Amino acid sequence: YRLLPTLIGMMGAAYPELKRAEALISETLKLEEQRFKVTLERGLKILDEESGRVKNKILPGDVAFKLYDTFGFPLDLTQDALKAQGIAVDTAGFDKCMEEQKKTARAAWAGSGDTATEKVWFEILDEFGPTEFLGYKTESAEAKVIAIVEDGKRVEKLSAMGTGTVITNQTPFYGESGGQVGDEGRGEILGKGKYFTVIHTQKILGKLIGHHILNEEAAIEVGDTLSMNVDHKMRSAIRANHSVTHLMHEALRRVLGAHVAQKGSLQDADRTRFDISHPKAMTPEEIQKVEAMVNQEIGADTPVETRLMGLEEARETGAMALFGEKYDDEVRVVAMGRREGNRVFSIELCGGTHVKKTGEIGAFKIVSESALSSGVRRIEALTGDRVAAFKEEKAQQQAVAHGRVKAENDKLRAEMASLGGAVSKEIPTDTAEMEKENKKLQKEISDLRRQKATQSVDASGDVKDIGGMKFTGKVLAGFPPKDLKPMADDLKKKLGSGVIVLVATDEGKASIVVAVTDDLTGRVSAVDLVKIGAEALGGKGGGGRPDMAQAGGPNPNAANDAVGAIEKALAG
Ligand SMILES: [Zn+2]
């Protein structure tokens, strides 16, 4: 990517687009380079493992293909890397895998495209031209039926209770395109007093607006006049969710940098989804800044201006166009936000439907930010009433989480007190602080309990001499099994030399740890001894090292028998 300025210096005059997109290109190249380095390292590691398994000095073709397909590791790189070790690649096997994958991809593609239906749409477009979209200004209009398509074929009428796509000369319904979902609504067949439902609206071949209709009471015929009414509530929500992407796009560029470019978007009545090129996760501060900037524009409640102009004229206004997108000669320029000197906050080319004033968006909140793919982030956001509802739900979740942490805190504090330990008088109010205290208390309780248990070995004087070795065995009711090993270590130090057996019992299960000091591991093994103990507890196996081993069993009542069995084994 360091070569880029040189390239732009040489070619920039002939291709002004290069200069305009310099930040984005640079960022993309840098990412690709980093990604390639990671790919290379990961691929080499896998290759290293695989070459260890190679027979007859030939790497199987499917392995080379997996490296290529899953890890993006090119075949020639694999060959070069293996040449040094005198290993060849089964290229015929590789080609076969590649061919199979292509076949699968082709089959999937053939299933999705329906060329016969495509032909029908081209015919309709040739015959009648593009559908006139009235929805920028109105949500209701009368329209004449010019074509009906049912099951991929042109028909003269759509029967009552039938479903099909109806094309009219004009329509207030927005056809799904540019990330904004299509409108839904109701209609009436004029003169017949019968109704139908528009369940979805789609842009077809970029020019026709197809109403997917669920017909109800009477046939719709070519030539009929329809009254078409967009679902206002839904349209308003979509409009707000779409409009806010303009403000969000600009705010993201200002907060994150000019390399931010739109990679895709989807706006429906519920939320808006916006994908951007950005190499890393947004920080909470960056998210907050973007939210504040957008909400400021919403609060300013300035009118949204839409103008039709020539593409070159639009470029001169500084309107943001999508890099690599194809535009008609006449474009729709949407300006939104407060005036800043001789321009406004956001100017974009866009064919979507927009609010009249930014205040109609109501409110804006980013609810999630995540990685979509390498170098692309996906942002999901809400507008209007949904922001308040989201905040309320979040507060409720937080209250529940706090309750849970508080209950744990109460329990730990009581436990600490019962062990005679000290707790701070001040109880934290913040959930995160309280969680921290809980962790600290858990550790303190476990240390204190272990200390007490270790001390009790001395006090009761239950260190015996068995076969010339010091031995202590202890059954600890309700003791956490995970603390057995640290306690055994404590006792090893205390005894200096000897064998230690600890059994923690709880309802329905027992855990046993055997520790042997290093000077005695030549005579007895903790692993052998723990197996004897586990058997007494009704368990099997156990594992560890000669100086420390652990096992368990389902019979806590046999804890003393387990200690006894080990003692007996030691006595020989
Ligand atoms: Zn727009």
mmCIF file of all heavy atoms in Angstrom, residues 449-477:
data_model
loop_
_atom_site.group_PDB
_atom_site.id
_atom_site.type_symbol
_atom_site.label_atom_id
_atom_site.label_comp_id
_atom_site.label_asym_id
_atom_site.label_seq_id
_atom_site.Cartn_x
_atom_site.Cartn_y
_atom_site.Cartn_z
ATOM 1 N N ARG A 449 -10.475 -20.812 54.062
ATOM 2 C CA ARG A 449 -10.980 -22.145 54.380
ATOM 3 C C ARG A 449 -9.841 -23.170 54.343
ATOM 4 O O ARG A 449 -9.726 -24.037 55.200
ATOM 5 C CB ARG A 449 -12.061 -22.524 53.363
ATOM 6 C CG ARG A 449 -12.853 -23.732 53.808
ATOM 7 C CD ARG A 449 -13.775 -24.234 52.741
ATOM 8 N NE ARG A 449 -14.950 -23.410 52.552
ATOM 9 C CZ ARG A 449 -15.291 -22.885 51.394
ATOM 10 N NH1 ARG A 449 -14.529 -23.074 50.334
ATOM 11 N NH2 ARG A 449 -16.370 -22.166 51.283
ATOM 12 N N ARG A 450 -8.979 -23.006 53.355
ATOM 13 C CA ARG A 450 -7.851 -23.922 53.205
ATOM 14 C C ARG A 450 -6.883 -23.773 54.380
ATOM 15 O O ARG A 450 -6.419 -24.757 54.948
ATOM 16 C CB ARG A 450 -7.148 -23.581 51.898
ATOM 17 C CG ARG A 450 -6.415 -24.731 51.301
ATOM 18 C CD ARG A 450 -5.864 -24.346 49.963
ATOM 19 N NE ARG A 450 -4.730 -23.456 50.103
ATOM 20 C CZ ARG A 450 -4.544 -22.356 49.372
ATOM 21 N NH1 ARG A 450 -5.430 -22.004 48.476
ATOM 22 N NH2 ARG A 450 -3.476 -21.612 49.545
ATOM 23 N N GLN A 451 -6.624 -22.496 54.728
ATOM 24 C CA GLN A 451 -5.737 -22.219 55.851
ATOM 25 C C GLN A 451 -6.225 -22.925 57.108
ATOM 26 O O GLN A 451 -5.473 -23.591 57.805
ATOM 27 C CB GLN A 451 -5.772 -20.720 56.106
ATOM 28 C CG GLN A 451 -4.415 -20.062 56.137
ATOM 29 C CD GLN A 451 -4.627 -18.546 56.185
ATOM 30 O OE1 GLN A 451 -5.465 -18.077 56.949
ATOM 31 N NE2 GLN A 451 -3.872 -17.823 55.387
ATOM 32 N N LYS A 452 -7.540 -22.760 57.357
ATOM 33 C CA LYS A 452 -8.126 -23.351 58.563
ATOM 34 C C LYS A 452 -7.995 -24.865 58.545
ATOM 35 O O LYS A 452 -7.647 -25.490 59.541
ATOM 36 C CB LYS A 452 -9.598 -22.964 58.672
ATOM 37 C CG LYS A 452 -9.770 -21.509 59.015
ATOM 38 C CD LYS A 452 -11.124 -21.257 59.610
ATOM 39 C CE LYS A 452 -11.061 -19.987 60.441
ATOM 40 N NZ LYS A 452 -12.230 -19.834 61.262
ATOM 41 N N ALA A 453 -8.303 -25.436 57.367
ATOM 42 C CA ALA A 453 -8.247 -26.890 57.256
ATOM 43 C C ALA A 453 -6.817 -27.377 57.462
ATOM 44 O O ALA A 453 -6.574 -28.396 58.111
ATOM 45 C CB ALA A 453 -8.766 -27.319 55.890
ATOM 46 N N THR A 454 -5.849 -26.650 56.910
ATOM 47 C CA THR A 454 -4.447 -27.036 57.052
ATOM 48 C C THR A 454 -4.016 -26.976 58.520
ATOM 49 O O THR A 454 -3.370 -27.880 59.032
ATOM 50 C CB THR A 454 -3.562 -26.098 56.209
ATOM 51 O OG1 THR A 454 -4.073 -26.055 54.898
ATOM 52 C CG2 THR A 454 -2.130 -26.589 56.177
ATOM 53 N N GLN A 455 -4.447 -25.875 59.183
ATOM 54 C CA GLN A 455 -4.109 -25.725 60.599
ATOM 55 C C GLN A 455 -4.682 -26.863 61.429
ATOM 56 O O GLN A 455 -4.049 -27.353 62.358
ATOM 57 C CB GLN A 455 -4.634 -24.386 61.135
ATOM 58 C CG GLN A 455 -3.689 -23.242 60.878
ATOM 59 C CD GLN A 455 -4.398 -21.896 61.006
ATOM 60 O OE1 GLN A 455 -5.558 -21.849 61.431
ATOM 61 N NE2 GLN A 455 -3.705 -20.834 60.658
ATOM 62 N N SER A 456 -5.878 -27.283 61.077
ATOM 63 C CA SER A 456 -6.557 -28.295 61.880
ATOM 64 C C SER A 456 -5.791 -29.622 61.887
ATOM 65 O O SER A 456 -5.934 -30.424 62.789
ATOM 66 C CB SER A 456 -7.983 -28.511 61.376
ATOM 67 O OG SER A 456 -7.932 -29.254 60.175
ATOM 68 N N VAL A 457 -4.977 -29.851 60.879
ATOM 69 C CA VAL A 457 -4.184 -31.084 60.837
ATOM 70 C C VAL A 457 -3.203 -31.104 62.006
ATOM 71 O O VAL A 457 -3.028 -32.108 62.679
ATOM 72 C CB VAL A 457 -3.439 -31.206 59.493
ATOM 73 C CG1 VAL A 457 -2.449 -32.366 59.528
ATOM 74 C CG2 VAL A 457 -4.440 -31.405 58.375
ATOM 75 N N ASP A 458 -2.593 -29.954 62.276
ATOM 76 C CA ASP A 458 -1.678 -29.838 63.408
ATOM 77 C C ASP A 458 -2.385 -30.047 64.733
ATOM 78 O O ASP A 458 -1.990 -30.853 65.554
ATOM 79 C CB ASP A 458 -1.088 -28.419 63.428
ATOM 80 C CG ASP A 458 0.331 -28.450 62.902
ATOM 81 O OD1 ASP A 458 0.782 -29.546 62.540
ATOM 82 O OD2 ASP A 458 0.944 -27.377 62.847
ATOM 83 N N ALA A 459 -3.474 -29.258 64.877
ATOM 84 C CA ALA A 459 -4.170 -29.188 66.155
ATOM 85 C C ALA A 459 -4.632 -30.567 66.615
ATOM 86 O O ALA A 459 -4.444 -30.949 67.768
ATOM 87 C CB ALA A 459 -5.347 -28.245 66.039
ATOM 88 N N SER A 460 -5.194 -31.335 65.697
ATOM 89 C CA SER A 460 -5.725 -32.637 66.116
ATOM 90 C C SER A 460 -4.623 -33.692 66.203
ATOM 91 O O SER A 460 -4.856 -34.809 66.628
ATOM 92 C CB SER A 460 -6.816 -33.080 65.140
ATOM 93 O OG SER A 460 -6.290 -33.019 63.838
ATOM 94 N N GLY A 461 -3.470 -33.330 65.745
ATOM 95 C CA GLY A 461 -2.330 -34.242 65.853
ATOM 96 C C GLY A 461 -2.502 -35.536 65.094
ATOM 97 O O GLY A 461 -2.038 -36.595 65.529
ATOM 98 N N ASP A 462 -3.197 -35.479 63.947
ATOM 99 C CA ASP A 462 -3.411 -36.755 63.269
ATOM 100 C C ASP A 462 -2.362 -37.063 62.195
ATOM 101 O O ASP A 462 -2.669 -37.476 61.101
ATOM 102 C CB ASP A 462 -4.833 -36.868 62.716
ATOM 103 C CG ASP A 462 -5.269 -35.596 62.024
ATOM 104 O OD1 ASP A 462 -4.396 -34.733 61.741
ATOM 105 O OD2 ASP A 462 -6.462 -35.452 61.779
ATOM 106 N N VAL A 463 -1.133 -36.804 62.503
ATOM 107 C CA VAL A 463 -0.051 -37.257 61.634
ATOM 108 C C VAL A 463 0.498 -38.548 62.215
ATOM 109 O O VAL A 463 0.922 -38.586 63.366
ATOM 110 C CB VAL A 463 1.065 -36.195 61.529
ATOM 111 C CG1 VAL A 463 2.170 -36.679 60.595
ATOM 112 C CG2 VAL A 463 0.508 -34.866 61.051
ATOM 113 N N LYS A 464 0.393 -39.603 61.423
ATOM 114 C CA LYS A 464 0.833 -40.909 61.923
ATOM 115 C C LYS A 464 2.161 -41.296 61.279
ATOM 116 O O LYS A 464 2.579 -40.698 60.295
ATOM 117 C CB LYS A 464 -0.194 -41.983 61.549
ATOM 118 C CG LYS A 464 -1.557 -41.751 62.112
ATOM 119 C CD LYS A 464 -2.465 -42.865 61.631
ATOM 120 C CE LYS A 464 -3.902 -42.572 62.054
ATOM 121 N NZ LYS A 464 -4.807 -43.532 61.445
ATOM 122 N N ASP A 465 2.762 -42.310 61.828
ATOM 123 C CA ASP A 465 3.937 -42.886 61.177
ATOM 124 C C ASP A 465 3.552 -44.246 60.650
ATOM 125 O O ASP A 465 3.155 -45.135 61.401
ATOM 126 C CB ASP A 465 5.081 -43.004 62.186
ATOM 127 C CG ASP A 465 6.356 -43.438 61.480
ATOM 128 O OD1 ASP A 465 6.331 -44.513 60.846
ATOM 129 O OD2 ASP A 465 7.352 -42.679 61.542
ATOM 130 N N ILE A 466 3.603 -44.378 59.330
ATOM 131 C CA ILE A 466 3.251 -45.677 58.739
ATOM 132 C C ILE A 466 4.411 -46.138 57.879
ATOM 133 O O ILE A 466 4.807 -45.449 56.925
ATOM 134 C CB ILE A 466 1.964 -45.565 57.900
ATOM 135 C CG1 ILE A 466 0.807 -45.195 58.834
ATOM 136 C CG2 ILE A 466 1.677 -46.880 57.179
ATOM 137 C CD1 ILE A 466 -0.487 -44.996 58.154
ATOM 138 N N GLY A 467 4.935 -47.286 58.224
ATOM 139 C CA GLY A 467 6.060 -47.854 57.465
ATOM 140 C C GLY A 467 7.214 -46.880 57.337
ATOM 141 O O GLY A 467 7.834 -46.806 56.288
ATOM 142 N N GLY A 468 7.450 -46.084 58.361
ATOM 143 C CA GLY A 468 8.573 -45.145 58.344
ATOM 144 C C GLY A 468 8.293 -43.862 57.585
ATOM 145 O O GLY A 468 9.181 -43.055 57.353
ATOM 146 N N MET A 469 7.003 -43.669 57.165
ATOM 147 C CA MET A 469 6.641 -42.428 56.478
ATOM 148 C C MET A 469 5.573 -41.700 57.282
ATOM 149 O O MET A 469 4.703 -42.331 57.877
ATOM 150 C CB MET A 469 6.064 -42.752 55.085
ATOM 151 C CG MET A 469 7.078 -43.323 54.122
ATOM 152 S SD MET A 469 6.323 -43.676 52.532
ATOM 153 C CE MET A 469 5.494 -45.210 52.864
ATOM 154 N N LYS A 470 5.669 -40.321 57.248
ATOM 155 C CA LYS A 470 4.609 -39.543 57.894
ATOM 156 C C LYS A 470 3.351 -39.663 57.022
ATOM 157 O O LYS A 470 3.434 -39.624 55.795
ATOM 158 C CB LYS A 470 5.017 -38.082 57.995
ATOM 159 C CG LYS A 470 5.899 -37.790 59.206
ATOM 160 C CD LYS A 470 6.018 -36.275 59.338
ATOM 161 C CE LYS A 470 7.331 -35.909 59.998
ATOM 162 N NZ LYS A 470 7.629 -34.481 59.806
ATOM 163 N N PHE A 471 2.198 -39.795 57.675
ATOM 164 C CA PHE A 471 0.945 -39.942 56.920
ATOM 165 C C PHE A 471 -0.154 -39.120 57.593
ATOM 166 O O PHE A 471 -0.297 -39.141 58.810
ATOM 167 C CB PHE A 471 0.525 -41.414 56.880
ATOM 168 C CG PHE A 471 -0.836 -41.619 56.248
ATOM 169 C CD1 PHE A 471 -0.968 -41.718 54.865
ATOM 170 C CD2 PHE A 471 -1.988 -41.694 57.041
ATOM 171 C CE1 PHE A 471 -2.221 -41.902 54.295
ATOM 172 C CE2 PHE A 471 -3.240 -41.858 56.457
ATOM 173 C CZ PHE A 471 -3.354 -41.973 55.083
ATOM 174 N N THR A 472 -0.890 -38.369 56.762
ATOM 175 C CA THR A 472 -2.091 -37.729 57.297
ATOM 176 C C THR A 472 -3.236 -37.897 56.315
ATOM 177 O O THR A 472 -3.075 -37.737 55.096
ATOM 178 C CB THR A 472 -1.862 -36.246 57.653
ATOM 179 O OG1 THR A 472 -3.019 -35.747 58.294
ATOM 180 C CG2 THR A 472 -1.553 -35.399 56.421
ATOM 181 N N GLY A 473 -4.401 -38.279 56.846
ATOM 182 C CA GLY A 473 -5.584 -38.450 56.005
ATOM 183 C C GLY A 473 -6.718 -37.657 56.601
ATOM 184 O O GLY A 473 -6.914 -37.643 57.811
ATOM 185 N N LYS A 474 -7.438 -36.940 55.729
ATOM 186 C CA LYS A 474 -8.459 -36.046 56.268
ATOM 187 C C LYS A 474 -9.700 -36.070 55.387
ATOM 188 O O LYS A 474 -9.604 -36.020 54.147
ATOM 189 C CB LYS A 474 -7.856 -34.634 56.297
ATOM 190 C CG LYS A 474 -8.548 -33.665 57.176
ATOM 191 C CD LYS A 474 -7.633 -33.144 58.283
ATOM 192 C CE LYS A 474 -8.356 -32.140 59.165
ATOM 193 N NZ LYS A 474 -9.036 -32.735 60.292
ATOM 194 N N VAL A 475 -10.872 -36.132 56.020
ATOM 195 C CA VAL A 475 -12.135 -36.027 55.289
ATOM 196 C C VAL A 475 -12.722 -34.651 55.568
ATOM 197 O O VAL A 475 -12.861 -34.256 56.719
ATOM 198 C CB VAL A 475 -13.124 -37.127 55.720
ATOM 199 C CG1 VAL A 475 -14.477 -36.926 55.035
ATOM 200 C CG2 VAL A 475 -12.561 -38.503 55.400
ATOM 201 N N LEU A 476 -13.010 -33.902 54.501
ATOM 202 C CA LEU A 476 -13.490 -32.532 54.648
ATOM 203 C C LEU A 476 -14.890 -32.418 54.031
ATOM 204 O O LEU A 476 -15.032 -32.444 52.805
ATOM 205 C CB LEU A 476 -12.536 -31.565 53.940
ATOM 206 C CG LEU A 476 -11.065 -31.639 54.401
ATOM 207 C CD1 LEU A 476 -10.135 -31.245 53.278
ATOM 208 C CD2 LEU A 476 -10.829 -30.771 55.625
ATOM 209 N N ALA A 477 -15.918 -32.288 54.897
ATOM 210 C CA ALA A 477 -17.294 -32.208 54.388
ATOM 211 C C ALA A 477 -17.556 -30.826 53.811
ATOM 212 O O ALA A 477 -17.206 -29.817 54.429
ATOM 213 C CB ALA A 477 -18.270 -32.520 55.504
#
